[in-house]
Amino acid sequence: MNSFTFQVRKDNLDAFRWVQAPEGALADGQVRVRIERFALTSNNITYAAFGDAMAYWRFFPTAEEGWGVIPVWGFATVAESTHAGVPVDERIYGYFPMASSVVLTPVRVKPDSWFDGAPYRAELHPVYNQLMRCATDPFYTSDTEDVQALLRPLFITSWLIDDFLADHDFFGARTLLLSSASSKTAYGTAFQLAQREGIAVIGLTSPGNVAFCESLGCYDRVLTYEQLDAIDADAAGVYVDFAGNSALRRAVHTRFKNLKHSSSIGGTHVEQLGNAKDLPGPRATLFFAPAQIKKRHAEWGADGLSQRLVAAWQAFVARVTRPDAPWLTVEHHRGRQAVEAAYAQVLAGRGDPRLGHMLQVQA
């Protein structure tokens, strides 16, 4: 049987190809998993945009220079195993390539998870190397797999952003500006921030997404990118940048003379990504979620951190999937052509913000 992997040009994300390869025999201690469904969101485009700077290309390296595999979050089933601790047919959740299958090397096998111990991943952050065993994963429910793949990694980032800001007393500010407010990571952050007393959350978005952002109920105000003048320029503020738009970042830094902190999260505006040098006000710093996880893990322990995350996740999912007013509608794409079309749509930033794309390479 052959495997199919979706690759993109690292210097031109519009260029892509499929690489077909026969599935060879496994070495001792390896497993082959069938990747049955995975989410594709603007977060994955961020992985590609920061692929070199943040080492995202290194998780699933290619044989040819200049081409990369975008990592995705999803679900897979063990199809073959030469590892005594990982049985065939086990269902797992984790970080996979955009592919029909992948060979992994389980290490540190525990009742709720195991890690991919491939040598080239040894220096990469363990958060991305961990595979969760669905049968014992506290986040897992079989009827919400799509929501988990689409929102779980994003919401964990959202939760950590909120936790990081609260941990620093919001740097003395009480006005928070969130760009790309319709993106899933942004509104997950806004959902958490809305539960904080005395914090005003302002969402910045394109005109076409204002109504959607207002309907969520977690932003105190929603403005277009052209309406920065409607915000008090002297307010002590924090800018949380999900868009990665360098012109917008400069406009925010220039207008708000009392900006206390500027955090860069992602890059949904890929065509406008730029550096953050020579900006007025505070230095724009890249938020790296695993660092905050490491801090809280040390302070609260694994169980304490997990309990807080699971409780917040369950509250978020209950709101997102509320039958009378859902925040998310899932669209499935099956087959290589469908994957290509969905990728092009997400890369271009087109589509309904309520829509979540779930992909499957094999039709």
Side-chain angles (χ1 to χ4, degrees):
M1 189 171 180
N2 290 332
S3 66
F4 293 87
T5 302
F6 185 81
Q7 298 184 358
V8 301
R9 284 289 308 179
K10 295 179 180 180
D11 58 357
N12 177 17
L13 299 182
D14 288 300
F16 56 80
R17 69 183 185 184
W18 290 98
V19 174
Q20 180 178 352
E23 294 181 343
L26 298 177
D28 287 344
Q30 290 185 325
V31 300
R32 176 175 287 109
V33 303
R34 301 274 179 242
I35 303 168
E36 295 176 350
R37 62 174 72 181
F38 58 86
L40 187 69
T41 71
S42 60
N43 188 52
N44 303 105
I45 305 304
T46 296
Y47 291 156
F50 292 98
D52 287 321
M54 302 295 290
Y56 290 119
W57 296 129
R58 293 175 57 191
F59 283 95
F60 305 104
T62 66
E64 186 174 342
E65 184 68 27
W67 290 90
V69 176
I70 298 175
V72 290
W73 295 91
F75 290 88
T77 298
V78 177
E80 300 177 57
S81 176
T82 60
H83 192 293
V86 180
V88 170
D89 293 332
E90 178 170 73
R91 193 155 184 79
I92 55 175
Y93 164 84
Y95 208 50
F96 299 112
M98 292 180 66
S100 57
S101 67
V102 66
V103 173
L104 305 174
T105 306
V107 296
R108 297 164 59 188
V109 177
K110 299 184 294 184
D112 64 340
S113 66
W114 45 268
F115 290 78
D116 181 15
Y120 63 85
R121 294 179 71 163
E123 296 180 356
L124 303 175
H125 201 284
V127 166
Y128 300 105
N129 292 339
Q130 187 176 30
L131 288 304
M132 302 304 298
R133 310 178 90 163
C134 294
T136 53
D137 178 7
F139 281 85
Y140 181 79
T141 55
S142 60
D143 59 335
T144 60
E145 281 194 354
D146 290 341
V147 175
Q148 290 175 71
L150 284 160
L151 294 181
R152 177 172 170 175
L154 306 183
F155 179 72
I156 290 175
T157 298
S158 298
W159 187 90
L160 289 165
I161 294 166
D162 167 75
D163 181 65
F164 169 81
L165 293 172
D167 199 24
H168 290 80
D169 192 27
F170 301 95
F171 297 89
R174 289 299 178 262
T175 299
L176 272 69
L177 281 67
L178 277 59
S179 66
S180 198
S182 67
S183 69
K184 296 172 179 62
T185 314
Y187 71 62
T189 304
F191 176 83
Q192 291 299 113
L193 290 170
Q195 301 172 51
R196 303 281 184 182
E197 292 290 337
I199 298 297
V201 185
I202 301 175
L204 302 175
T205 190
S206 58
N209 289 331
V210 169
F212 167 73
C213 293
E214 289 178 337
S215 75
L216 301 176
C218 53
Y219 291 105
D220 293 283
R221 298 172 69 188
V222 179
L223 302 171
T224 67
Y225 296 120
E226 292 74 27
Q227 293 178 313
L228 286 180
D229 289 349
I231 309 170
D232 180 5
D234 295 322
V238 168
Y239 180 45
V240 187
D241 181 15
F242 296 92
N245 184 321
S246 59
L248 174 64
R249 185 189 303 122
R250 182 165 295 278
V252 168
H253 276 247
T254 301
R255 173 168 174 76
F256 299 102
K257 308 302 183 183
N258 201 14
L259 196 65
K260 299 296 187 180
H261 181 72
S262 179
S263 184
S264 178
I265 311 299
T268 59
H269 296 181
V270 175
E271 73 285 355
Q272 294 167 307
L273 283 172
N275 64 45
K277 295 179 180 178
D278 303 319
L279 288 171
R283 179 184 178 187
T285 58
L286 188 64
F287 177 76
F288 189 52
Q292 188 69 9
I293 287 181
K294 183 178 181 180
K295 179 179 186 293
R296 290 310 198 189
H297 188 278
E299 294 172 348
W300 297 337
D303 289 343
L305 176 59
S306 177
Q307 289 168 6
R308 288 170 171 83
L309 277 170
V310 170
W313 165 251
Q314 290 172 344
F316 181 62
V317 169
R319 180 59 195 89
V320 167
T321 60
R322 203 172 79 185
D324 62 325
W327 289 4
L328 183 68
T329 300
V330 179
E331 184 174 283
H332 292 91
H333 309 265
R334 296 182 177 88
R336 295 193 296 278
Q337 287 187 334
V339 168
E340 293 173 12
Y343 172 75
Q345 183 177 344
V346 174
L347 179 63
R350 300 191 305 267
D352 185 341
R354 292 188 186 273
L355 195 62
H357 299 280
M358 288 298 298
L359 281 55
Q360 182 178 331
V361 172
Q362 299 286 26

